[in-house]
Amino acid sequence: MDDRIKLSVLGFSFNQTQSGAYGLVLAEEDGVRRLMIVVGTPEAQSIAFKLQGSYPPRPLTHDLFRSLLHQFGIILREVEIYKYENGVFFSRMILSQGDKNIQIESRTSDAVGIALRTKSPIFTTEAIMQEQAIVFDENSIQDATTPEDERDHLALDYSLLNQDELETLLKDAIEGEDYELASLLRDELKRKGKK
């Protein structure tokens, strides 16, 4: 298919369109368009952990799914975000086991969370990008020329995480000498302690 667009996961935007929902930002590879997908709190937590390179105290659902795929010799070939209808993105996971290939319908947030863990590519269609993507202007391109640079400008909402998860991330940040992140996590832990 010539109209397939490969996407990478950048992070979360500050803009929340619904209470308890977060904007997951996907970037067009080698392009300036960004696709925002609204995801729920558990999926956002799971994706945030993976983006930070941290591990929760216990496996999350996406980790469990990845382990099951691995144990049964199933490969997630790719994720396809193939349709947008009535405010909802529709996705499927393309899996293979030996010479057998199957497609499984999935919520986009779950498919992305699992794709991150299996290092599987994520695709959408040109039609979806034309209808739903945000195009950055020239100033935005100069400020963030690559998805890696832009990722630094997108916020992970640490209020999503509970105290144990924040403490785990804080420990990882200190061990990795990421003191800026450690400071943010410490502040969030203090806010949670006052509630």
Side-chain angles (χ1 to χ4, degrees):
M1 286 186 276
D2 294 330
D3 73 338
R4 287 169 30 115
I5 306 295
K6 190 172 183 184
L7 302 170
S8 61
V9 180
L10 290 181
F12 294 93
S13 76
F14 279 115
N15 299 326
Q16 294 184 24
T17 57
Q18 306 169 18
S19 175
Y22 300 86
L24 175 64
V25 181
L26 304 175
E28 173 183 29
E29 207 166 83
D30 302 321
V32 296
R33 295 180 293 182
R34 304 295 180 256
L35 196 62
M36 186 178 315
I37 297 174
V38 176
V39 301
T41 301
E43 296 79 16
Q45 281 182 317
S46 178
I47 291 167
F49 263 111
K50 189 62 184 168
L51 290 176
Q52 285 296 325
S54 298
Y55 299 93
R58 301 190 58 187
L60 300 174
T61 305
H62 297 147
D63 300 309
L64 175 63
F65 195 90
R66 188 206 61 80
S67 295
L68 284 168
L69 291 176
H70 178 72
Q71 290 299 317
F72 286 97
I74 301 170
I75 297 168
L76 175 58
R77 294 284 175 202
E78 64 185 55
V79 166
E80 293 180 347
I81 303 169
Y82 67 91
K83 182 169 76 170
Y84 180 83
E85 185 175 278
N86 298 325
V88 177
F89 288 94
F90 290 78
S91 296
R92 60 183 154 233
M93 298 186 297
I94 312 301
L95 302 147
S96 65
Q97 183 180 36
D99 60 355
K100 184 177 180 182
N101 294 309
I102 59 169
Q103 296 182 13
I104 297 177
E105 189 72 20
S106 173
R107 291 187 307 171
T108 300
S109 56
D110 288 327
V112 168
I114 295 165
L116 282 173
R117 284 160 171 78
T118 58
K119 297 181 172 65
S120 303
I122 302 167
F123 295 97
T124 192
T125 65
E126 178 61 33
I128 287 174
M129 291 301 283
Q130 286 181 9
E131 292 172 17
Q132 299 301 320
I134 299 165
V135 178
F136 278 66
D137 63 24
E138 287 299 317
N139 294 330
S140 297
I141 295 167
Q142 290 170 0
D143 291 341
T145 56
T146 67
E148 290 77 22
D149 293 338
E150 189 175 346
R151 186 175 288 125
D152 293 337
H153 300 293
L154 291 168
L156 291 177
D157 188 346
Y158 296 108
S159 66
L160 292 168
L161 306 176
N162 66 34
Q163 189 160 349
D164 288 341
E165 293 165 335
L166 285 166
E167 287 171 358
T168 300
L169 283 174
L170 178 59
K171 180 178 174 259
D172 290 348
I174 292 169
E175 287 174 3
E177 298 182 3
D178 187 346
Y179 300 116
E180 185 177 341
L181 175 59
S183 176
L184 291 171
L185 294 166
R186 184 200 63 225
D187 293 347
E188 185 60 37
L189 276 164
K190 285 180 183 174
R191 275 193 289 279
K192 286 196 181 295
K194 292 178 183 176
K195 290 181 181 179

